[in-house]
Amino acid sequence: MSVLLLLALCTLATGCGASYPPQPATIPSPLLSLDCNSSYVLDIASDILQDINRDRNDGYVLSLNRVSDAREHRQGAGLGSLLYFTLDVLETGCHVLSRTPWKNCGVRLFHESVYGQCKAIFYINKEKRIFYLPAYNCTLRPVSRRVVFMTCPDCPSTSPYDLSNPRYMEAATESLAKYNSRSPSKQYSLVKITKTFSQWVFGPAYFVEYLIKESPCTKSQDSSCALESPDSVPVGICHGSKSQSPQHPGKLISVTCSFFNSQAPTPRGENAAVNQRPANPTKVEEPQQQNTAPTNSPTKAVLKGSVQYLPDWGKKPEDSQEKEPVETVPVQLDLTTNPQGEPLDVSFLFLEPMEEKLVVLPFPSKERRSAECPGPAQKDDPRLLPP
Ligand SMILES: *[C@@H]1O[C@H](CO)[C@@H](O)[C@H](O)[C@H]1NC(C)=O
Ligand SMILES: *[C@@H]1O[C@H](CO)[C@@H](O)[C@H](O)[C@H]1NC(C)=O
């Protein structure tokens, strides 16, 4: 380990090769492979996921299932490290707008599971107390209907983000109408549907989750009110369902809603929410844009990343003779393709002027990951783990 470290440092420092006698045949990668089950790695993985969830305005909070790969690239003196992490994740039941920490959110039941992988590049400078996520990308996929059918033929089985069936919209609008009819004064309107399921119970049943906003109309104005609210900030999320059966010719509607408390000001000011970090990463300028757009670009989030949703592998249970396909969740995250690396300007994170730049490398492939990776999984189910 210490030899590896020495080699890694040597590739960064010039003139080091002369003092290091046996010249290796190939230039070793400056990336150190870390133990995916170490508390160092698990703590960083937890922070990364927290930052990813905080950066998103769409979808559900992701929780850590296991660390798949973790590499560290130590930078020059006083510059800390760039980390390359690959995390296997599971979707939880909390919407990201609830801003609930992922550790407080339960993962979904097996038949509703959405699993996937995130790649992240994370910058740590303990000396300067900087923890910063320059880039991430995630890919998610629902557990396949075919697998659900094999283990639980009666479970709800529709793709979790299928809006093609108009019944889901019906379930949303009718369940929200029921909620509004019970609300003493305030009325709410639909922002969008975020999750769908269907199930055959004694007849078709449709389940939806949807975001709601406050409606400017009050209850007394009733259905005649056609005011549109000026903004559409979601204030909460509802779970609604609509089902029918021969025994109950009338439709059955159920609804529960919960409200986000993100609007409430934090008791001790905004800093309380950012883990005592010196610079609030969401408030600094986009580093990549400084070259291309030197104009007065508004201070906006530097965090760069997205979550991609792939469809179900969707094989019908009938063609189960054919070989099980290898399910993949490809995630691309490359700030550079140059094997020598490229400079990454993070000077905006430092209070004092900073000349040196970090070196960012192409994201490492998992071929040379440590023997201690992947780490143990919270849900050790091969159907919920990327290969
Ligand atoms: C993130 O993924 C998208 C595709 O989902 C890709 O277009 C984009 O280049 C990726 N970002 C980086 C930094 O590689
Ligand atoms: C991971 O670490 C925990 C705590 O240190 C330990 O109990 C567990 O056995 C480790 N698991 C593996 C697979 O190494």
Side-chain angles (χ1 to χ4, degrees):
M1 194 67 183
S2 59
V3 172
L4 238 181
L5 172 60
L6 240 175
L7 287 175
L9 292 173
C10 277
T11 58
L12 292 171
T14 50
C16 177
S19 59
Y20 191 71
Q23 203 66 23
T26 54
I27 299 162
S29 165
L31 292 178
L32 303 176
S33 300
L34 305 177
D35 176 350
C36 285
N37 194 29
S38 65
S39 58
Y40 175 64
V41 165
L42 291 171
D43 285 351
I44 294 169
S46 174
D47 279 359
I48 289 175
L49 214 48
Q50 180 73 11
D51 282 358
I52 290 174
N53 285 321
R54 193 184 285 147
D55 184 52
R56 300 166 58 214
N57 289 313
D58 245 337
Y60 291 83
V61 169
L62 300 176
S63 74
L64 183 66
N65 194 15
R66 71 175 180 191
V67 178
S68 174
D69 194 5
R71 314 288 179 101
E72 178 163 9
H73 184 185
R74 302 217 171 125
Q75 307 284 320
L79 283 180
S81 291
L82 270 182
L83 298 153
Y84 299 79
F85 272 43
T86 306
L87 308 176
D88 293 340
V89 297
L90 289 170
E91 202 178 79
T92 67
C94 305
H95 196 273
V96 289
L97 293 178
S98 70
R99 300 297 169 211
T100 313
W102 67 265
K103 282 184 179 167
N104 300 347
C105 297
V107 299
R108 290 180 177 272
L109 298 172
F110 174 74
H111 64 266
E112 307 179 337
S113 290
V114 174
Y115 68 96
Q117 193 164 73
C118 294
K119 288 183 178 167
I121 296 176
F122 196 62
Y123 176 53
I124 283 196
N125 189 330
K126 285 202 173 139
E127 226 174 274
K128 301 251 161 50
R129 293 168 59 84
I130 296 172
F131 301 85
Y132 171 65
L133 179 71
Y136 71 89
N137 250 351
C138 306
T139 300
L140 302 178
R141 197 185 266 294
V143 63
S144 88
R145 268 178 274 177
R146 162 186 172 149
V147 167
V148 169
F149 186 83
M150 287 190 299
T151 51
C152 172
D154 296 328
C155 280
S157 60
T158 314
S159 171
Y161 20 81
D162 168 31
L163 284 176
S164 56
N165 189 333
R167 302 280 177 214
Y168 292 120
M169 187 50 86
E170 270 175 43
T173 52
E174 291 178 29
S175 63
L176 183 55
K178 179 169 183 174
Y179 187 84
N180 279 334
S181 74
R182 286 202 226 125
S183 168
S185 167
K186 262 192 187 159
Q187 298 290 287
Y188 299 92
S189 53
L190 180 70
V191 178
K192 68 172 176 180
I193 296 176
T194 53
K195 188 72 90 182
T196 62
F197 295 107
S198 70
Q199 186 175 23
W200 192 270
V201 190
F202 300 104
Y206 296 93
F207 302 87
V208 285
E209 294 176 27
Y210 51 91
L211 297 172
I212 52 168
K213 62 182 177 183
E214 272 178 29
S215 160
C217 304
T218 59
K219 189 147 192 189
S220 52
Q221 289 166 302
D222 210 38
S223 53
S224 60
C225 171
L227 290 175
E228 264 303 309
S229 55
D231 55 9
S232 57
V233 183
V235 295
I237 189 162
C238 299
H239 293 62
S241 72
K242 177 179 179 181
S243 50
Q244 260 162 325
S245 70
Q247 289 81 8
H248 300 90
K251 59 214 173 184
L252 293 168
I253 304 278
S254 79
V255 64
T256 57
C257 298
S258 55
F259 291 85
F260 306 142
N261 53 16
S262 50
Q263 276 81 9
T266 35
R268 275 178 294 134
E270 216 185 357
N271 287 335
V274 293
N275 298 352
Q276 293 116 31
R277 294 173 184 193
N280 182 350
T282 59
K283 290 258 171 78
V284 282
E285 221 172 312
E286 187 90 34
Q288 297 286 310
Q289 289 189 347
Q290 283 173 355
N291 307 327
T292 50
T295 48
N296 58 328
S297 52
T299 52
K300 61 175 223 174
V302 189
L303 297 169
K304 292 186 254 15
S306 62
V307 176
Q308 195 190 0
Y309 292 85
L310 298 182
D312 184 359
W313 278 78
K315 289 276 174 2
K316 293 200 180 65
E318 296 91 75
D319 24 280
S320 50
Q321 287 101 320
E322 79 179 67
K323 237 177 156 282
E324 198 74 10
V326 179
E327 298 201 358
T328 57
V329 285
V331 191
Q332 190 203 336
L333 184 64
D334 272 313
L335 298 185
T336 176
T337 49
N338 181 353
Q340 308 297 314
E342 263 177 47
L344 180 69
D345 186 0
V346 291
S347 51
F348 59 91
L349 293 171
F350 291 77
L351 297 173
E352 67 276 24
M354 176 209 184
E355 291 302 312
E356 307 90 323
K357 291 211 168 47
L358 305 182
V359 175
V360 64
L361 297 169
F363 204 93
S365 72
K366 72 175 185 186
E367 267 72 57
R368 292 161 71 186
R369 69 181 168 185
S370 128
E372 287 81 27
C373 291
Q378 294 295 312
K379 276 215 163 184
D380 200 2
D381 184 333
R383 298 167 300 182
L384 300 177
L385 288 165

